[in-house]
Amino acid sequence: MTSKTLIIGASGGIGNALVSRFADNGDEVIAVSRSGFKDSNWPDTVTAKAIAEHDEASISAFVEELKSQDVKLNNVVVTTGVLKDDDLGVNPEKRLEDMSESALASYFAVNSIIPALWLKHLVNIMDKSHATVVCLSARVGSISDNGFGGWYGYRASKAALNMLVKTASIEYKRRVKNAMLVCYHPGTVDTELSKPFQKNVAEKKLFTPAFTADQLFTHVSKLDRDQPCHFIDWDGEVVTW
């Protein structure tokens, strides 16, 4: 039976690679992006959908459209996230004085709230026989593994994402039965998000999007599905909450 997979943020480097990876597996893939699609050489089994705005009204309308088509999803990967964005006025803080109300609001809006809204609406169209939802998180969102400080907004918004996913996994397990939710740290990937910070990354630790997609696909498929939620990294190792 063909699996149905939804990739959210499919126009980004990791999202684009994930669409290709799941399509190569034989999945029917729905690729969603707010910014549209460019230079995506995907097979006919991929349906590309652009949503006008990444807000609850657009998310709800999109999920209702899928519901009206009787779509049941087996896999979802939410790749949306922001670390540095001049348009949003966000830049990783080095000290307390660098924090601002507007930047913190933007970090939480993109890194925490948007994935949470997807979790809210997607629960109604997940396949109860096999459902997996993966949200791209970050090791710096681990509260227990924080020895360097800084990056207040990014750390806090990813920690909030982890809590939202962990909490939602309990309800998903009850409502969807065979559901598993995953917070996934992809490592440092050669994408627009990481470009301003790549100079301090060892060559072997700067991953291609294709490698990242393959690692995610492989490691998530091996997880214990009796456990409703996992937090792992690109190498399949457990990250502490």
Side-chain angles (χ1 to χ4, degrees), residues 41-61:
N41 188 24
W42 295 326
D44 294 339
T45 53
V46 177
T47 302
K49 300 281 289 186
I51 60 175
E53 296 293 336
H54 223 149
D55 56 23
E56 183 160 17
S58 298
I59 291 169
S60 176

Side-chain angles (χ1 to χ4, degrees), residues 58-97:
S58 298
I59 291 169
S60 176
F62 173 76
V63 172
E64 284 301 314
E65 179 184 351
L66 294 184
K67 188 176 181 180
S68 70
Q69 298 167 359
D70 200 30
V71 170
K72 295 294 183 183
L73 297 171
N74 301 104
N75 307 294
V76 176
V77 186
V78 183
T79 74
T80 55
V82 65
L83 174 56
K84 175 181 170 59
D85 189 307
D86 292 336
D87 292 335
L88 290 176
V90 298
N91 193 45
E93 308 92 344
K94 295 181 179 180
R95 58 179 188 163
L96 285 165
E97 287 79 3

Side-chain angles (χ1 to χ4, degrees), residues 170-185:
I170 298 167
E171 188 168 348
Y172 262 69
K173 199 70 172 178
R174 185 171 67 247
R175 295 173 61 178
V176 186
K177 306 304 181 187
N178 191 21
M180 180 180 71
L181 273 58
V182 183
C183 296
Y184 189 84
H185 169 60

Side-chain angles (χ1 to χ4, degrees), residues 90-130:
V90 298
N91 193 45
E93 308 92 344
K94 295 181 179 180
R95 58 179 188 163
L96 285 165
E97 287 79 3
D98 294 335
M99 282 195 290
S100 73
E101 181 180 356
S102 61
L104 288 172
S106 294
Y107 271 125
F108 277 85
V110 177
N111 293 337
S112 313
I113 296 173
I114 287 174
L117 292 174
W118 279 108
L119 289 171
K120 170 186 174 179
H121 292 281
L122 287 171
V123 70
N124 297 308
I125 60 168
M126 299 304 298
D127 191 324
K128 292 186 178 182
S129 66
H130 185 94

Side-chain angles (χ1 to χ4, degrees), residues 8-13 16 31-40 42 48-54 79-80:
I8 298 162
S11 62
N16 194 312
V32 174
S33 173
R34 183 178 60 85
S35 58
F37 302 92
K38 297 178 182 178
D39 304 322
S40 296
W42 295 326
K49 300 281 289 186
I51 60 175
E53 296 293 336
H54 223 149
T79 74
T80 55

